[in-house]
Amino acid sequence: NNEGKLMASEPISSEKKNVEIKKQDWFYNAKKEIENIHFSKPHLQNIFMDGTYKYNWVISLSRSVDINDGDEPISGILLVDMKYSIIEETFERINGNSNGVYYYLCDGNGDIIYHPRKVEIDRGIISEESTRIAGYEDGTYELNLNGGRANYIISSIAYTGWKVVGVVPDKIQTISINKFRYYVIITIIFLIMMLLVVNKIVS
C-alpha cells in the first residue's frame, strides 16, 4: 500500500526484514507520478527472501493502482519484477554474431540498461556517450564519439522510454549496417512482446 506495507504477492514469498520500501526508487516514482508506468534500472531483487539464497538481477515495473481492501477503496503500488537475464541473453546472442557491430540498451536519460562491455564502462576503462545519444531522435546518424567515427542507429521502444542503440564502426561496410538494422528490428519486436505480456499482467 502507500505506506509500503505488503498486501499480497505472487508467487507467495516471505518479505525480508528491515527493507525500507518507501525509500526505493520504484516505489517513490510510482507514488510521485501516479499516471505513469515506471521502469527501473537493473538491480538486485532485495524485497523477498529466496530459499536458495540466490541474488537475482531484475528490472522493476511499477505504477500506482486502486485496490479494494474489503469494502474500502484505497490506493497502492503494483510492482512487477522482470528477469534481467532475458534481456541480457537476447543481446548477448545477437552481439555474439555481429562481426564488430554491437548494440546496447539505455533509458531516456542515457543510463545504460545493457551494454556488452558494461563491466569495462563501470570500471572507467572505456566510455560510452549514452547520455548524448539518448537526446537524439530515432534514426541513423554518423557521429564522432568515443574517439572514433561510427554510424549510430537509434530506435525507441514503445512506452518504456528505452532506446536500442546500434554502433557500426566506420570500418564496417554498408552491408553490415543493413544487417544490423534487421537485428535491431528483431530485438525491438522481442522486447515489445515481453512488455505486452507484462502489460497484460498489469491489466
Side-chain angles (χ1 to χ4, degrees):
N1 59 25
N2 280 339
E3 299 305 316
K5 294 182 180 179
L6 181 66
M7 300 187 68
S9 67
E10 177 63 35
I12 298 173
S13 301
S14 299
E15 189 177 8
K16 291 181 179 179
K17 295 180 180 179
N18 303 319
V19 177
E20 297 187 66
I21 299 295
K22 295 173 73 173
K23 292 185 177 181
Q24 298 202 17
D25 289 342
W26 63 264
F27 184 91
Y28 174 80
N29 291 333
K31 193 172 179 181
K32 181 182 177 183
E33 300 179 9
I34 62 174
E35 69 280 359
N36 295 335
I37 295 176
H38 302 272
F39 292 86
S40 74
K41 291 183 286 187
H43 64 278
L44 287 172
Q45 191 286 118
N46 63 352
I47 300 175
F48 299 105
M49 299 183 67
D50 189 330
T52 60
Y53 298 99
K54 289 182 178 179
Y55 294 91
N56 298 310
W57 283 89
V58 297
I59 292 175
S60 295
L61 175 156
S62 61
R63 71 166 301 168
S64 177
V65 293
D66 294 324
I67 307 167
N68 289 324
D69 186 15
D71 296 328
E72 182 182 358
I74 61 172
S75 295
I77 307 296
L78 174 67
L79 169 69
V80 179
D81 278 337
M82 301 177 287
K83 289 183 179 179
Y84 176 68
S85 60
I86 295 175
I87 293 175
E88 191 174 38
E89 289 169 5
T90 302
F91 277 81
E92 284 178 352
R93 187 162 53 248
I94 298 174
N95 277 327
N97 300 316
S98 59
N99 297 321
V101 177
Y102 69 90
Y103 62 98
Y104 63 91
L105 186 66
C106 67
D107 64 17
N109 297 319
D111 293 323
I112 292 176
I113 297 171
Y114 172 85
H115 194 289
R117 304 180 68 181
K118 192 172 189 306
V119 174
E120 295 168 85
I121 292 173
D122 291 341
R123 292 178 179 174
I125 299 173
I126 63 170
S127 63
E128 188 73 69
E129 296 186 51
S130 55
T131 303
R132 178 180 166 186
I133 288 294
Y136 283 82
E137 298 292 332
D138 290 5
T140 303
Y141 302 87
E142 191 173 354
L143 305 170
N144 286 312
L145 295 177
N146 306 312
R149 192 165 187 80
N151 286 284
Y152 287 78
I153 302 169
I154 305 169
S155 294
S156 299
I157 303 176
Y159 53 83
T160 62
W162 294 348
K163 291 179 182 287
V164 176
V165 181
V167 182
V168 186
D170 198 37
K171 61 184 179 180
I172 305 298
Q173 297 180 359
T174 306
I175 189 171
S176 294
I177 298 176
N178 294 330
K179 183 179 179 182
F180 188 74
R181 284 177 178 154
Y182 169 77
Y183 280 135
V184 169
I185 291 170
I186 294 298
T187 304
I188 290 174
I189 290 173
F190 175 83
L191 291 173
I192 289 174
M193 289 176 65
M194 183 185 74
L195 292 171
L196 286 174
V197 171
V198 173
N199 194 46
K200 185 176 179 181
I201 294 172
V202 173
S203 299

